[in-house]
């Protein structure tokens, strides 16, 4: 893998460390952290700070027994603790979401495929498979979109994203990601609201494909 250059922004890392990220984003964050030493170190620092703050806060207000129980809980593996292993293309947290099986791809046309891992009113998370040179239709975002590259790379209006890189797109960004030449680009993408497609055809297909 080439060096990771796009990381989890500080505000998302704080929310993740506190367990406050919606599940779809938390999966993308966990998958990035499982691939990225820099963000793993940052997460550990945030978790340590959280523990210290609690340690000094609980000292004045609660009994010693409750305090040690609370701190013991903090030392136990967190529910969203990433699994630091990688089986081929899919990092541990993605393998867990796939329940160990291969992705069940559904065609979106033009060789683009998706596999929805989870979907709820709070957001959805999916794998996307984009053949080299193929574009994901030009779109804007109603909410926040996190995209983690698991294989290959893509480029859009903001730059190039290689394997392990995380792109954070919000309402301000309209972009047309295009898979670079080479291996097909496989991404893990989480959104909290439907994407806004700018051309009519994808907009018509949107309900069908649940993008
Ligand atoms: Zn990182
Ligand atoms: Zn997007």
């Amino acid at each position: 893998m080439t060096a990771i250059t796009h990381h989890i922004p500080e505000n998302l890392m704080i929310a993740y460390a506190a367990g406050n990220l919606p599940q779809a984003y938390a999966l993308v964050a966990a998958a990035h952290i499982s691939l990225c030493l820099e963000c793993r170190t940052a997460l550990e620092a945030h978790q340590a700070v959280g523990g210290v703050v609690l340690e000094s806060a609980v000292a004045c207000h609660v009994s010693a027994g409750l305090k040690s129980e609370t701190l013991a809980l903090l030392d136990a593996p967190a529910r969203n603790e990433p699994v630091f292993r990688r089986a081929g293309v899919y990092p541990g947290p993605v393998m867990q979401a796939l329940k160990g099986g291969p992705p069940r791809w559904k065609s979106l046309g033009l060789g683009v495929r998706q596999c929805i891992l989870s979907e709820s009113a709070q957001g959805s998370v999916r794998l996307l498979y984009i053949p080299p040179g193929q574009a994901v239709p030009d779109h804007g975002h109603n909410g926040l979109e996190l995209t983690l590259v698991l294989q290959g790379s893509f480029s859009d209006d903001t730059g190039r994203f290689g394997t392990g890189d995380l792109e954070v797109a919000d309402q301000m960004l309209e972009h047309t990601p295009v898979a670079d030449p080479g291996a097909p680009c496989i991404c893990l993408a989480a959104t909290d609201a439907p994407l806004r497609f700018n051309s009519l055809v994808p907009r018509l297909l949107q309900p069908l494909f649940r993008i």
Side-chain angles (χ1 to χ4, degrees), residues 4 6-8 13 32-33 35-40 164 166:
I4 296 173
H6 297 88
H7 298 278
I8 299 175
M13 183 62 90
H32 176 86
I33 288 162
L35 302 175
C36 178
L37 185 61
E38 190 175 318
C39 286
R40 200 181 311 168
L166 179 75

Side-chain angles (χ1 to χ4, degrees), residues 23 31 80 83 86 88 90 102 106 113 118 128-129 131 135-137 148 151:
Q23 199 194 355
N80 58 4
V83 180
R86 181 175 169 85
Y90 305 106
K106 295 227 163 62
R113 295 183 243 163
S118 77
L128 284 169
Y129 174 105
V136 173
L148 173 67
Q151 175 184 291

Side-chain angles (χ1 to χ4, degrees), residues 4 10 23 53 57 125 129 158 160 168 173 201 206 210:
I4 296 173
E10 178 80 4
Q23 199 194 355
V53 170
V125 59
Y129 174 105
T158 68
R160 180 181 178 278
V168 179
L173 178 71
V201 171
Q206 203 166 352
R210 296 184 292 162

Side-chain angles (χ1 to χ4, degrees), residues 77-145:
R79 193 169 39 84
N80 58 4
E81 186 96 344
V83 180
F84 299 125
R85 72 189 157 81
R86 181 175 169 85
V89 171
Y90 305 106
V94 177
M95 288 297 286
Q96 283 181 338
L98 285 167
K99 300 186 174 67
R104 294 224 290 268
W105 295 110
K106 295 227 163 62
S107 175
L108 293 177
L110 299 172
V112 180
R113 295 183 243 163
Q114 75 168 348
C115 166
I116 296 175
L117 296 176
S118 77
E119 198 175 32
S120 73
Q122 284 75 47
S124 67
V125 59
R126 75 197 66 228
L127 291 165
L128 284 169
Y129 174 105
I130 311 157
Q134 184 60 50
V136 173
D138 179 28
H139 60 273
H141 309 93
N142 291 313
L144 185 69
E145 178 189 55

